[in-house]
Amino acid sequence: MKKTDRMSFKFEKLNIWKKAMELGEDVDAIADTFPKKELFNLSSQIRRAADSIALNISEGSILQSDPEQKKFLGYSIRSLAEVVTCLYKAKNRNYINQDYFDEKYDFCYHLMNMLIAYRRRFL
């Protein structure tokens, strides 16, 4: 069965999910460069927070009522704020440079606005 022939989940069509997946992969790659002392601290925290964004978007979109979907989108928004805070920590500890920080900050800001706009649909 070709990809175009198979059925898909609702969340796979959402741009917010696609962007969240992209962020998760970017964060995973950069966390690999953090010092070993951060393995169970900042590296783990930023990875879990970044992955949580897409995970909650998908979980909220499957067989959920509008209030439930809104709740899961709220979790995604909170996880995104956590990623931004972790980026600040990484920058302050000189694990990432200013250019990388600015690029990811802008990406996160745009994704946050997309999540908030999508969440308003469920008010």
Side-chain angles (χ1 to χ4, degrees), residues 81-96:
E82 191 175 340
V83 168
V84 171
T85 301
C86 288
L87 288 170
Y88 270 105
K89 291 277 190 189
K91 180 178 68 91
N92 292 345
R93 295 174 186 176
N94 296 313
Y95 303 157
I96 59 174

Side-chain angles (χ1 to χ4, degrees), residues 40-92:
F40 299 107
N41 295 311
L42 190 59
S43 297
S44 175
Q45 191 69 33
I46 196 170
R47 281 184 169 116
R48 286 182 287 116
D51 287 346
S52 180
I53 300 165
L55 291 168
N56 279 299
I57 291 167
S58 61
E59 187 173 356
S61 73
I62 302 296
L63 299 174
Q64 301 291 345
S65 64
D66 284 355
E68 280 291 301
Q69 188 161 1
K70 182 181 173 187
K71 179 176 78 172
F72 281 97
L73 288 167
Y75 297 153
S76 291
I77 290 167
R78 289 176 189 86
S79 292
L80 182 54
E82 191 175 340
V83 168
V84 171
T85 301
C86 288
L87 288 170
Y88 270 105
K89 291 277 190 189
K91 180 178 68 91
N92 292 345

Side-chain angles (χ1 to χ4, degrees), residues 85-108:
T85 301
C86 288
L87 288 170
Y88 270 105
K89 291 277 190 189
K91 180 178 68 91
N92 292 345
R93 295 174 186 176
N94 296 313
Y95 303 157
I96 59 174
N97 64 33
Q98 187 67 48
D99 289 340
Y100 183 87
F101 174 84
D102 291 342
E103 177 188 331
K104 291 305 154 203
Y105 184 93
D106 291 346
F107 188 95
C108 289

Side-chain angles (χ1 to χ4, degrees), residues 14 16 69 73 114-122:
L14 297 173
I16 54 172
Q69 188 161 1
L73 288 167
M114 291 173 67
L115 285 165
I116 290 169
Y118 187 71
R119 188 173 179 246
R120 283 191 185 122
R121 294 179 49 198
F122 302 101

